[in-house]
Amino acid sequence: MPHITVDDGAQIFYRDWGSGGSPVLLSHGWPLNSDAWEAAARFLAENGHRAVAHDRRGHGRSTQTWHGNEMDTYADDLARLVEALDLRDLTLVGHSTGGGEVVRYLARHGSSRVSKLVLVSAVPPLMVRTDDNPEGLPVQVFDDMRAAEAADRSQLYRDLADGPFFGHNRNGDVSRGFRDAFWSQGTACGHRAAYECIAAFSATDFREDLRGIDVPTLVVHGDDDQIVPFAVGGQRSAAMVPGARLTVYEGSGHALPDTDRERLHADLLAFVES
C-alpha cells in the first residue's frame, strides 16, 4: 500500500487514481478514512482527473501516533503529501473535519499549488460556543461525545451511523451498507486519535484562516445537518471567505458524499472544470 513518511516518522496512507486532468485531493471526516471518498475518487478519475485521498494520521491505514492529533499537524502532513506527489493546480475538497484540515493547510502553507477549494458539510469556522462565538454548539455536546468515545466507542459509532450522521433518525431510509461502513471505518481509527480529534474538529478556530483564503471556493452544506448545523458551519464559512459560492442542499444532512452522491459528484466536477 502506498505511504509517505512525514516529519515525525509517521506514515500516511494514500490512494492515487487516474491521470491527465487537474488533480483533486479529497480529505475525509472523523472518524473515517479515505474509503469515505472512494466513490467520488472513482467518479473524478473516470472523468479524466487525478483523484488523491489519504488517511489522516491516526485513522485507517496511517500510523496511529500518540502525538500530533490536531489541525496544525494534520495540515503539515497534508503539505508533505502534496509535495511528495508534486500536485499543482490542485482542487482541495474537505468533508466535515477534512474541511478544517484543508482550510488550515491553506493558512499554514499558502495557495501556490492550489487553484480551488471545496468545503462540504465542513466544521469551520468554529463549532464550539465561546464568548466571542455565541452561534456555536455548547461544549457539553463535545464533552458527551468524548465520554462516549472513552466508554464504548464502538457503540458511539453505531449510534452516530444509525442516527444523526446520515440523518437515518429522520426517515429510517439510509442503507445498512452506508451505516456499517461508517462503523467499520470508525473502529479502524486509533482510540487516542479518535478521542483527541474531537477537540481538533470542535475547538479549532478557523475564522482568520477563512478570511485569508485567496482561491475560488465552493461551500456545500445541507440545511438539515445534525452534526455541523448549517447556521454553525456552511452559512458562516461562506460569508467569511472572499467571493465564496454557497450551495445549499435542502433537506439534506451531514453525510453528503453518501446520501447525496450523484448531486455532489456533479457539483464537484462542474466546479473543478470551471
Side-chain angles (χ1 to χ4, degrees), residues 21-23 50 82 85-91 112-115:
S22 59
R50 182 180 181 183
V82 170
L85 300 181
D86 195 25
L87 302 177
R88 300 178 186 275
D89 189 28
L90 173 64
T91 299
S112 62
R113 292 175 175 267
V114 179
S115 63

Side-chain angles (χ1 to χ4, degrees), residues 140-237:
Q140 189 64 46
V141 171
F142 307 107
D143 287 344
D144 290 347
M145 187 177 294
R146 276 183 281 267
E149 210 284 336
D152 186 350
R153 71 193 193 105
S154 178
Q155 187 61 49
L156 170 64
Y157 304 150
R158 174 58 62 200
D159 292 344
L160 288 170
D162 291 344
F165 188 85
F166 295 99
H168 187 66
N169 54 324
R170 299 297 201 212
N171 300 308
D173 58 353
V174 179
S175 77
R176 180 67 182 264
F178 282 151
R179 292 180 283 130
D180 284 355
F182 179 96
W183 178 88
S184 177
Q185 290 177 51
T187 56
C189 184
H191 190 18
R192 180 173 168 91
Y195 184 89
E196 292 197 327
C197 191
I198 296 170
F201 72 66
S202 66
T204 303
D205 189 343
F206 299 100
R207 287 175 290 187
E208 289 306 311
D209 299 2
L210 291 169
R211 295 184 182 108
I213 290 173
D214 60 357
V215 296
T217 300
L218 173 65
V219 178
V220 180
H221 217 104
D223 66 3
D224 191 32
D225 190 328
Q226 299 172 70
I227 302 296
V228 185
F230 173 63
V232 172
Q235 185 176 48
R236 292 197 299 153
S237 287

Side-chain angles (χ1 to χ4, degrees), residues 68-110:
N69 303 305
E70 34 73 25
M71 283 294 170
D72 286 354
T73 303
Y74 296 160
D76 292 349
D77 291 346
L78 191 62
R80 300 298 172 264
L81 177 62
V82 170
E83 293 161 5
L85 300 181
D86 195 25
L87 302 177
R88 300 178 186 275
D89 189 28
L90 173 64
T91 299
L92 291 172
V93 182
H95 174 242
S96 195
T97 299
E101 181 179 46
V102 296
V103 165
R104 184 52 54 91
Y105 166 90
L106 286 169
R108 288 176 68 82
H109 299 280

